[in-house]
Amino acid sequence: MAKHDDGRIGVVAGLVRSAFLVNAVYAQASRERGLTPQQGQLLCVLMAEPYGMSALGMMLGLAKSSMTGLVDRTERNGLVRREPDPRDTRAVRVALTPRGHVVAEEFYAETCRRIDKLPAGLSAGERHALAGLLGRVVLDNEAPAVFLELDETGGAATQT
């Protein structure tokens, strides 16, 4: 993890520090909307479709009690609602409310705009290479699909 002679950092430090950069973007964009970073993440996940509590907990890496508290707080803010699961009458799914859709879209757009600025010093080719390498790391490690991919117009398209 030592600094290289040419001023670059290693893979481990690069990934960890990149995660901190992205987390800082989530925190700032969340605060500006009266959300916690976890609520912002929850809204981004739910943009694709409603999910059950267990699936959400797995995707966000939260224990059942933490997930329940997160959904409770976000529901009190009028951003999500619990609805019956059509496949299992004992279970509920969490879905965005109409207001939640608006807040999620705004949060998502602002978060994407800010994260897209992070590699601003890279050329188009370097950005393409970075995207390819990060994509391989994510897929090789089966990271959960917690963020929608931007389409060609800059809007949310598919879950990644």
Side-chain angles (χ1 to χ4, degrees):
M1 283 198 281
K3 191 172 182 178
H4 295 277
D5 289 85
D6 60 4
R8 295 183 303 161
I9 60 174
V11 172
V12 172
L15 286 171
V16 169
R17 291 172 72 179
S18 296
F20 272 83
L21 287 171
V22 171
N23 286 337
V25 168
Y26 260 96
Q28 186 178 9
S30 299
R31 270 192 310 274
E32 291 169 1
R33 283 158 187 77
L35 304 169
T36 66
Q38 294 77 20
Q39 287 173 321
Q41 291 172 339
L42 176 64
L43 296 180
C44 286
V45 168
L46 294 174
M47 286 175 69
E49 64 182 288
Y51 284 96
M53 293 289 282
S54 296
L56 284 171
M58 288 176 46
M59 291 173 85
L60 297 174
L62 296 174
K64 184 177 179 179
S65 61
S66 297
M67 191 68 237
T68 299
L70 174 60
V71 171
D72 286 347
R73 289 185 302 278
T74 312
E75 188 174 36
R76 278 194 300 274
N77 291 338
L79 302 174
V80 300
R81 70 177 180 278
R82 288 175 169 93
E83 59 185 30
D85 187 325
R87 294 175 300 233
D88 183 353
T89 57
R90 299 165 296 162
V92 297
R93 296 185 317 173
V94 180
L96 293 173
T97 63
R99 179 171 170 256
H101 276 285
V102 171
V103 173
E105 289 286 340
E106 291 172 355
F107 174 79
Y108 172 82
E110 183 60 21
T111 301
C112 287
R113 186 187 67 73
R114 291 178 185 188
I115 291 172
D116 192 51
K117 286 182 177 182
L118 294 176
L122 301 179
S123 69
E126 289 169 328
R127 287 174 67 97
H128 182 74
L130 178 62
L133 293 170
L134 289 173
R136 280 184 39 204
V137 170
V138 166
L139 294 175
D140 288 351
N141 289 280
E142 300 176 4
V146 295
F147 203 78
L148 295 171
E149 182 67 46
L150 289 176
D151 65 16
E152 295 79 31
T153 66
T158 59
Q159 194 89 4
T160 59

